[in-house]
Amino acid sequence: MKGAAFYAYAAPEPDGFGDRPVRPAKAFYSKQMSEFFLMYDDVRAADSPRDALLEFCQSTYEAAADLGKWDRANLERTA
């Protein structure tokens, strides 16, 4: 992997984390690094870079929270 990237990981990593589908479609999991990545150039090329990055952050958070059995009701603020 070459170039700037956004990344997300969970520690400790819950079982199945790397197998969880995340958004946007260009995001991927590196078994070598045990992290999800979204390349900076893919974000820049998106129709809405802001939405692409937010999707990445939200979907990787959901993967870690759901698989890690986090108490989301107490962790997340409602608007």
Side-chain angles (χ1 to χ4, degrees), residues 1-6 28 37-42:
M1 178 177 65
K2 263 189 167 176
F6 297 95
F28 64 94
F37 289 93
L38 179 60
M39 301 307 295
Y40 180 76
D41 287 341
D42 291 331

Side-chain angles (χ1 to χ4, degrees), residues 13-20 61-70:
E13 183 175 309
D15 290 338
F17 183 63
D19 298 323
R20 184 77 177 250
Y61 163 77
E62 289 171 356
D66 291 346
L67 295 170
K69 298 181 180 26
W70 297 356

Side-chain angles (χ1 to χ4, degrees), residues 5 7 20 22 24-25 27 31-32 41-42 47 54 57 60-61 67 69 79:
Y7 66 94
R20 184 77 177 250
V22 297
K31 288 185 181 189
Q32 180 183 4
D41 287 341
D42 291 331
D47 289 339
L54 288 174
C57 293
T60 55
Y61 163 77
L67 295 170
K69 298 181 180 26

